[in-house]
């Protein structure tokens, strides 16, 4: 993959944009797909280490191509370390949606993996603040679900804090069952709607 | 503090007083013999045949139609079709020909008339016992002319009370959430209507999603929670002025608010770092007191009419169940056991029963039980039913219902006896009904 450093800079930029689009598309698809299983979390794209700059992932203006040396790739970019530069171009690439079983708010292994990636991204983007919204399926009463959503959001928050994210950077909210992201009134839809979703505040 | 005036002129006018006067008895007839009566608990088994003649004068037929609709919806009366009447155009101050009414098997007969003078509408009516040939009620109501529906509700309440022995509930209002739009972008506006679906008006513009509004006992204020992207806040709207005021509570999540019976405080739930507990806030002093303190979800508090106890929903036992505690948070007891998950408990107006939502076997149910948890009965069941609220006389429960998966929420009523399940005359999407006391 060091070959990419030899390619003309504009090609690299296009590649980066393409990869970002792919990452966004991949993320969008997870929202409507069936819930992830407990298989190993997807490994990051292999060429991200080279493509990521040391700064945040702001879009690069196409009319203003700049040339800069890449930072040395780290061999220790395993999930959960969180220190140093993030390996994710965006929060959504790190994963912004974790799912919960019926009537539960404890974190699954899959949810912990996604939150670990979120923490890594947040460590690398230290000015960013996030909102975690807890959501529930429609198979509960309104006020209880507001409480359950609050517990889901706070379970995610507590885990991020345990990984070193400052509490002041995290806000939580519960939407209960009021803001489903999947319209289906069936077990597949309910599974998607039992979630905690992370969005950027600033 | 925000102030807005969505359609409050119409609300205010509907709150104008309806005055009452006793009609002098028609001289010929003596005091009521009071043999005629309807049992509210058994009424569904034999609804009483009742005839209501179109009232004479201004708004007369509309008032009579409204009274018919009210009494018919109660399920306690067989309200007769005016087409079968042999005697029509009866002067309210003359005795009816009872034989004409016995032929069509009427047991009770209502005759009335409206008169307008100086913009005020005066309505007189008499209720007759057809077989006893005696007057049961003679009353006169007056109010501004546009208030004719409230007069009709007062007439309905008077008839209901005289024939059942129980206080009526027709002159009351329902606050609810009017819903529109798809599931992902649902618009939820605060709305209020008469109990029969008439005179609907919206009190919020739909920017925020409104949840679980409730009247205070006095009927002058509504407390509700409003959801925005960043949290859920509790608001109070004053019905006379239209003024909205936030009830400030620490944190981003304050919800499930209800007035205490004295109207001076609000019990509610708040989230403090994932710990959802029940609090009470005095509206006079602003003092907030925490009533529950455990790591589980405690929500949907409702204070008993005597102010001594609070019923609430908690999952401290592993699943959502109904508990009751003293007004200061002490002496917590669990009321529901066995299969199913229970929530949204509400006291009946006289404090003897508690209505609730139950989830079991993939369905939702509305039920009632005694205040000690005994005598549990299920009244209604569907894909989703939730949020029971009591009619002011405790005979009827209104709730939100979704017939099947994906169906819109609508408002339904069921008699506390478990009979007379029917959709509210408000047919559009609605949720979270809160029934007022009877209006003064």
């Amino acid at each position: 993959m060091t070959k990419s450093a030899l390619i003309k800079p504009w090609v690299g930029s296009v590649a980066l944009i393409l990869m970002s689009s792919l990452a966004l598309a991949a993320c969008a698809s997870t929202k409507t797909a069936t819930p992830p299983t407990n298989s190993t979390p997807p490994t990051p794209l292999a060429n991200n280490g080279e493509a990521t700059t040391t700064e945040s992932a702001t879009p690069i203006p196409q009319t203003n191509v700049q040339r800069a040396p890449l930072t040395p790739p780290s061999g220790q970019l395993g999930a959960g370390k969180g220190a140093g530069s993030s390996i994710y171009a965006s929060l959504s690439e790190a994963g912004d949606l974790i799912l919960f079983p019926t009537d539960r708010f404890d974190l699954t292994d899959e949810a912990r993996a996604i939150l670990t990636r979120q923490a890594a991204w947040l460590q690398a983007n230290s000015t960013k603040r996030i909102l975690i919204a807890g959501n529930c399926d429609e198979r509960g009463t309104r006020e209880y679900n507001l409480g359950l959503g609050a517990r889901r959001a706070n379970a995610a928050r507590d885990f991020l804090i345990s990984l070193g994210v400052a509490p002041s950077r995290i806000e939580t909210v519960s939407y209960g069952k009021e803001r489903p992201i999947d319209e289906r009134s069936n077990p597949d839809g309910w599974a998607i709607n039992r979630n905690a979703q992370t969005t950027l505040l600033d | 503090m925000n102030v807005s005036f969505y359609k409050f002129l119409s609300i205010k006018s509907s709150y104008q007083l309806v005055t009452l006067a006793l009609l002098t008895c028609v001289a010929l007839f003596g005091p009521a013999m009071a043999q005629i009566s309807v049992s509210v608990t058994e009424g569904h088994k034999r609804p009483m045949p009742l005839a209501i003649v179109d009232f004479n004068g201004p708004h007369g037929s509309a008032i009579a139609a409204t009274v018919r609709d009210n009494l018919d919806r109660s399920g306690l009366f067989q309200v007769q079709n005016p087409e079968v009447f042999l005697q029509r155009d009866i002067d309210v101050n003359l005795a009816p020909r009872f034989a004409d009414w016995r032929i069509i098997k009427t047991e009770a007969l209502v005759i009335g008339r409206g008169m307008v003078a100086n913009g005020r509408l005066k309505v007189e009516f008499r209720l007759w016992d057809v077989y006893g040939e005696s007057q049961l009620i003679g009353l006169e109501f007056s109010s501004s002319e546009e208030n004719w529906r409230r007069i009709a509700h007062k007439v309905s309440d008077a008839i209901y009370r005289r024939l059942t022995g129980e206080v009526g509930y027709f002159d009351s209002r329902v606050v609810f959430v009017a819903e529109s739009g798809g599931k992902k972008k649902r618009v939820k506006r605060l709305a209020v209507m008469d109990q029969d679906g008439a005179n609907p008006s919206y009190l919020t513009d739909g920017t925020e999603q409104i949840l679980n509004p409730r009247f205070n006992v006095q009927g002058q204020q509504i407390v509700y929670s409003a959801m925005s992207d960043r949290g859920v806040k509790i608001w109070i709207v004053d019905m006379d002025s239209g003024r909205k005021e936030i009830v400030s509570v620490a944190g981003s999540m304050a919800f499930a608010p209800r007035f205490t019976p004295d109207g001076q405080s609000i019990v509610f739930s708040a989230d403090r770092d994932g710990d959802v507990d029940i609090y009470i806030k005095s509206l006079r002093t602003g003092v907030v007191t925490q009533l529950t303190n455990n790591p589980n979800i405690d929500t949907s508090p409702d204070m008993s009419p005597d102010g001594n106890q609070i019923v609430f929903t908690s999952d401290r036992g592993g699943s959502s169940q109904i508990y009751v505690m003293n007004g200061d948070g002490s002496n917590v007891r669990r009321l529901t056991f066995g299969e199913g998950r229970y929530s949204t408990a509400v006291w009946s107006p006289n404090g003897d029963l508690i209505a609730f939502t139950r989830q079991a076997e993939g369905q939702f149910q509305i039920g009632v039980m005694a205040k000690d948890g005994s005598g549990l009965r299920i009244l209604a069941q569907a894909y989703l039913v939730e949020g029971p609220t009591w009619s002011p006389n405790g005979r009827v429960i209104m709730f939100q219902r979704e017939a099947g998966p994906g169906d819109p929420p609508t408002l339904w009523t069921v008699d506390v006896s478990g009979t007379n399940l029917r959709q509210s005359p408000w047919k559009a999407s609605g949720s979270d009904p809160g029934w007022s006391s009877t209006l003064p």
Side-chain angles (χ1 to χ4, degrees):
Chain A
M1 297 309 289
T2 51
K3 220 193 285 180
S4 67
L6 304 173
I7 300 173
K8 287 178 184 173
W10 68 268
V11 177
S13 298
V14 171
L16 177 59
I17 290 163
L18 278 174
M19 286 187 300
S20 304
S21 323
L22 283 171
L24 281 172
C27 172
S29 70
T30 62
K31 293 180 184 174
T32 50
T34 51
T37 62
N38 276 343
S39 61
T40 51
T43 48
L45 292 177
N47 52 0
N48 271 2
E50 290 84 4
T52 305
T53 67
T54 52
E55 296 302 316
S56 64
T58 47
I60 300 165
Q62 289 188 345
T63 54
N64 186 16
V65 178
Q66 293 181 335
R67 184 190 179 99
L70 289 177
T71 52
S74 162
Q76 305 296 320
L77 282 178
K81 299 304 177 197
S85 66
S86 169
I87 56 174
Y88 307 108
S90 66
L91 176 62
S92 59
E93 187 192 317
D96 57 7
L97 189 73
I98 62 173
L99 303 181
F100 294 85
T102 298
D103 229 12
R104 302 288 292 271
F105 56 86
D106 47 327
L107 300 173
T108 63
D109 290 346
E110 174 71 17
R112 287 168 188 267
I114 292 168
L115 290 170
T116 303
R117 290 188 210 107
Q118 281 187 20
W121 186 86
L122 285 164
Q123 299 284 22
N125 297 274
S126 59
T127 61
K128 299 294 184 185
R129 297 177 66 249
I130 56 168
L131 176 71
I132 305 176
N135 292 286
C136 303
D137 66 34
E138 64 189 22
R139 304 312 283 158
T141 49
R142 196 176 314 290
E143 291 171 339
Y144 181 80
N145 276 4
L146 283 173
L148 185 57
R151 302 212 66 169
R152 286 175 175 164
N154 279 280
R157 173 182 181 271
D158 290 347
F159 191 69
L160 291 177
I161 291 171
S162 77
L163 296 178
V165 181
S168 60
R169 297 175 60 195
I170 309 173
E171 276 188 27
T172 60
V173 68
S174 171
Y175 298 147
K177 62 173 175 177
E178 311 309 320
R179 298 188 176 186
I181 58 176
D182 192 312
E183 291 194 344
R184 292 173 296 173
S185 290
N186 61 29
D188 290 343
W190 302 334
I192 302 294
N193 289 331
R194 292 190 296 268
N195 65 62
Q197 189 163 30
T198 305
T199 53
L200 286 179
L201 274 179
D202 312 299
Chain B
M1 182 190 298
N2 284 354
V3 179
S4 60
F5 295 96
Y6 301 101
K7 296 196 178 179
F8 267 98
L9 289 177
S10 65
I11 290 175
K12 198 172 180 184
S13 71
S14 73
Y15 270 76
Q16 284 174 0
L17 284 185
V18 176
T19 56
L20 158 73
L22 284 174
L23 268 193
T24 51
C25 238
V26 179
L28 244 135
F29 298 91
M33 288 191 276
Q35 287 165 341
I36 185 171
S37 74
V38 175
S39 160
V40 213
T41 46
E42 301 295 325
H44 58 280
K45 289 179 180 167
R46 192 180 93 61
M48 171 189 283
L50 171 68
I52 298 158
V53 183
D54 275 355
F55 289 15
N56 291 324
H59 307 285
S61 56
I63 288 172
T66 302
V67 175
R68 281 185 207 115
D69 288 346
N70 279 337
L71 295 173
D72 176 65
R73 260 199 333 281
S74 78
L76 300 174
F77 304 95
Q78 179 212 325
V79 178
Q80 294 181 297
N81 186 335
E83 288 176 11
V84 307
F85 297 169
L86 304 179
Q87 193 186 17
R88 303 180 193 188
D89 261 344
I90 314 172
D91 188 319
V92 74
N93 287 322
L94 294 178
R97 267 198 312 276
F98 293 108
D100 282 356
W101 299 99
R102 285 197 287 263
I103 286 176
I104 61 168
K105 307 247 186 293
T106 299
E107 292 184 18
L109 171 66
V110 178
I111 298 164
R113 74 167 167 190
M115 291 162 286
V116 173
N118 302 321
R120 283 190 73 78
L121 173 65
K122 186 168 81 170
V123 173
E124 303 171 336
F125 82 99
R126 297 181 198 275
L127 169 67
W128 295 94
D129 178 346
V130 170
Y131 287 86
E133 299 200 357
S134 62
Q135 176 183 296
L136 298 175
I137 311 175
L139 288 177
E140 170 194 303
F141 292 103
S142 61
S143 186
S144 59
E145 192 175 355
E146 73 267 18
N147 241 354
W148 64 267
R149 289 194 75 91
R150 282 209 53 206
I151 292 180
H153 293 319
K154 290 286 189 202
V155 170
S156 307
D157 281 335
I159 296 168
Y160 181 97
R161 175 159 203 174
R162 184 63 188 80
L163 294 178
T164 68
E166 302 231 2
V167 179
Y169 58 92
F170 302 112
D171 191 27
S172 60
R173 309 203 83 199
V174 173
V175 63
F176 66 105
V177 174
E179 301 203 8
S180 56
K183 272 190 182 179
K184 289 187 186 175
K185 283 262 174 193
R186 188 63 60 91
V187 177
K188 295 166 72 96
R189 294 202 285 171
L190 183 63
V192 63
M193 63 181 179
D194 297 348
Q195 55 79 27
D196 63 350
N199 294 319
S201 42
Y202 298 105
L203 309 190
T204 63
D205 60 9
T207 310
E208 297 182 312
Q209 290 172 296
I210 305 305
L211 313 173
N212 296 100
R214 301 278 173 165
F215 280 105
N216 63 356
V217 171
Q218 297 72 24
Q220 298 144 342
Q221 294 182 322
I222 294 167
V223 67
Y224 61 95
S225 43
M227 175 182 288
S228 65
D229 291 347
R230 301 288 279 271
V232 180
K233 303 286 186 193
I234 295 173
W235 291 81
I236 291 174
V237 55
D238 183 85
M239 297 298 286
D240 289 334
S241 67
R243 176 173 296 167
K244 294 183 179 118
E245 196 164 346
I246 197 162
V247 179
S248 71
V249 172
S252 63
M253 292 288 301
F255 57 100
R258 322 270 193 266
F259 284 103
T260 55
D262 63 6
Q264 301 297 312
S265 302
I266 288 175
V267 286
F268 61 95
S269 277
D271 166 32
R272 306 271 163 87
D273 294 332
D275 191 1
V276 178
D277 282 311
I278 292 170
Y279 299 80
I280 186 168
K281 176 167 186 170
S282 165
L283 297 173
R284 283 234 169 120
T285 66
V287 172
V288 175
T289 307
Q290 185 167 356
L291 296 180
T292 68
N293 188 4
N294 75 72
N296 298 96
I297 297 170
D298 295 329
T299 190
S300 302
D302 189 43
M303 188 174 272
S304 61
D306 63 11
N308 291 332
Q309 297 183 80
I310 295 171
V311 67
F312 64 102
T313 301
S314 177
D315 61 359
R316 61 182 68 194
S319 71
S320 174
Q321 300 289 337
I322 292 168
Y323 293 75
V324 68
M325 61 186 173
N326 292 354
D328 61 0
S330 64
N331 194 22
V332 176
R333 291 97 71 198
R334 180 170 166 176
L335 290 186
T336 54
F337 298 89
E339 285 188 20
R341 289 184 285 158
Y342 295 79
S343 55
T344 74
V346 283
W347 295 94
S348 64
N350 71 7
D352 57 345
L353 296 175
I354 292 169
F356 56 83
T357 306
R358 179 175 185 254
Q359 294 168 251
E361 290 136 27
Q363 295 281 296
F364 281 60
Q365 302 168 328
I366 299 293
V368 292
M369 60 187 173
K371 63 182 176 183
D372 62 358
S374 66
L376 189 147
R377 292 182 290 126
I378 299 302
L379 308 180
Q381 172 172 307
Y383 172 75
L384 184 129
V385 286
E386 76 168 285
T389 182
W390 294 86
S391 67
N393 70 347
R395 297 308 317 177
V396 182
I397 290 172
M398 187 181 292
F399 54 95
Q400 164 193 345
R401 179 174 185 266
E402 294 174 20
D407 286 337
T410 47
L411 301 179
W412 288 67
T413 54
V414 67
D415 201 272
V416 74
S417 66
T419 60
N420 199 31
L421 173 71
R422 56 175 82 199
Q423 188 174 0
S424 160
W426 172 265
K427 303 291 187 202
S429 284
S431 58
D432 295 358
W435 211 320
S436 78
S437 306
T438 42
L439 302 178

